[in-house]
Amino acid sequence: NMNIFYKIPYYFLHRNPFFGLIFKYFIREFHYKYNGSILSFEIPFKNLTLSWLPGFLFKTYELNDVSLIKKHIVKNEKVLNIGGGIGFIASLIYKITNEKVTIVEVDDRIIEILNKNLKRNKINFQLIDKPLSLSKETDFFINKNQNYISNTTIQKTTTDNNPSNSEFVDSKFFDKFDVLVIDAEGYEEYFFSNLLEINFDKIIIEFHPKNYLNLTSQDIENILTKNNYKEMDSYFQSKVFKKNNY
């Protein structure tokens, strides 16, 4: 949790609608400099209120995940990015790894902008536009918030053998990835509760305990511990876990 000394400037700058207005009407696009190149992103203004826009102005958008990704992901690692958003995190990952990034983004309102941003920044990617399901009988509620950043993805059960709202993958699908980056507003509860073998070398996870139905953040950390993961680093509500291969 953020202490009070961080909360005051954070909310004054990062969530201040006045600065959101400045960004929306005078700047319009998000630009991020990395390793000599400029990444640029179109913003889905229809799906963000003004208080979410200062993060783009002050370059604090996804700051916690960005800090950990730049520190812990290296060249040639293959990454699965669950929670694609506008494509910023996936673009940064690609610029670091120079490897194709597999992206999961379930909000159909931003898929077009996500695709456009990835192509604009010359990212090599595969995009999956449904939640990954670990069984053929699983489907999901996707609660689309006014702000796409605050969507929630929660499991529901169904008797349908071919749920339309999910992409079934078996456990072998994950074997090709070295790193999992997951920022998916509640989906992480389903994912870590149901993936029988967790074999990523590293996991970067942003916790969203307010969106969990049954577990706490500590419960998910306990699942990772049982699968031989050790916490390596953290930044606000995001953490890095590394697998101990004995």
Side-chain angles (χ1 to χ4, degrees):
N1 293 327
M2 242 187 282
N3 68 43
I4 191 67
F5 298 106
Y6 287 109
K7 277 185 176 179
I8 293 172
Y10 175 86
Y11 282 100
F12 178 73
L13 295 175
H14 189 74
R15 298 297 298 278
N16 189 324
F18 171 74
F19 296 116
L21 277 169
I22 292 174
F23 179 82
K24 183 173 182 177
Y25 291 104
F26 296 99
I27 299 175
R28 301 289 300 168
E29 291 192 341
F30 175 48
H31 301 283
Y32 188 85
K33 188 173 183 179
Y34 178 75
N35 202 22
S37 63
I38 303 289
L39 298 169
S40 60
F41 302 89
E42 184 177 328
I43 305 301
F45 290 110
K46 288 190 297 185
N47 305 115
L48 282 173
T49 54
L50 290 175
S51 63
W52 282 101
L53 299 178
F56 300 115
L57 179 65
F58 296 112
K59 315 298 186 198
T60 54
Y61 173 63
E62 301 285 20
L63 178 63
N64 46 341
D65 291 340
V66 167
S67 301
L68 297 176
I69 285 166
K70 287 166 71 174
K71 188 174 178 182
H72 293 282
I73 291 180
V74 298
K75 189 174 183 180
N76 300 131
E77 286 186 316
K78 293 179 174 60
V79 181
L80 173 62
N81 174 207
I82 298 180
I86 62 169
F88 171 48
I89 292 297
S91 296
L92 182 61
I93 290 168
Y94 177 73
K95 295 299 181 182
I96 293 170
T97 64
N98 200 35
E99 293 284 347
K100 185 176 185 177
V101 184
T102 299
I103 304 158
V104 180
E105 175 52 57
V106 302
D107 190 340
D108 55 6
R109 299 173 301 174
I110 62 170
I111 289 293
E112 184 179 347
I113 283 180
L114 170 58
N115 259 302
K116 190 183 296 185
N117 285 335
L118 294 168
K119 290 172 182 174
R120 171 195 282 193
N121 291 295
K122 298 180 170 59
I123 307 304
N124 185 3
F125 69 96
Q126 175 191 3
L127 178 59
I128 300 169
D129 62 1
K130 296 178 181 178
L132 299 181
S133 172
L134 303 172
S135 80
K136 292 180 179 177
E137 290 77 39
T138 302
D139 211 341
F140 297 87
F141 289 115
I142 301 172
N143 179 21
K144 294 178 182 176
N145 194 282
Q146 183 180 3
N147 295 294
Y148 78 85
I149 292 172
S150 300
N151 291 343
T152 55
T153 304
I154 299 169
Q155 177 188 5
K156 67 178 180 179
T157 55
T158 177
T159 55
D160 187 352
N161 287 326
N162 186 25
S164 59
N165 195 31
S166 63
E167 178 87 9
F168 171 68
V169 293
D170 62 28
S171 59
K172 292 178 182 178
F173 170 83
F174 302 101
D175 291 345
K176 58 189 172 187
F177 301 108
D178 304 301
V179 184
L180 169 66
V181 176
I182 178 168
D183 178 5
E185 310 295 326
Y187 175 78
E188 63 270 26
E189 178 185 32
Y190 165 79
F191 186 81
F192 290 108
S193 298
N194 289 275
L195 187 61
L196 297 179
E197 286 189 38
I198 308 173
N199 292 315
F200 305 100
D201 182 48
K202 285 172 279 191
I203 295 172
I204 299 176
I205 176 174
E206 181 170 337
F207 289 100
H208 306 94
K210 291 180 181 178
N211 297 328
Y212 301 160
L213 297 176
N214 301 304
L215 302 185
T216 64
S217 298
Q218 188 58 56
D219 290 331
I220 294 176
E221 290 194 42
N222 291 343
I223 291 171
L224 292 173
T225 299
K226 288 177 184 176
N227 281 271
N228 299 321
Y229 283 89
K230 181 179 179 181
E231 182 183 330
M232 303 296 293
D233 203 354
S234 64
Y235 198 111
F236 293 138
Q237 69 270 36
S238 295
K239 294 189 176 184
V240 180
F241 295 87
K242 182 167 175 57
K243 186 147 181 114
N244 289 319
N245 295 308
Y246 299 110

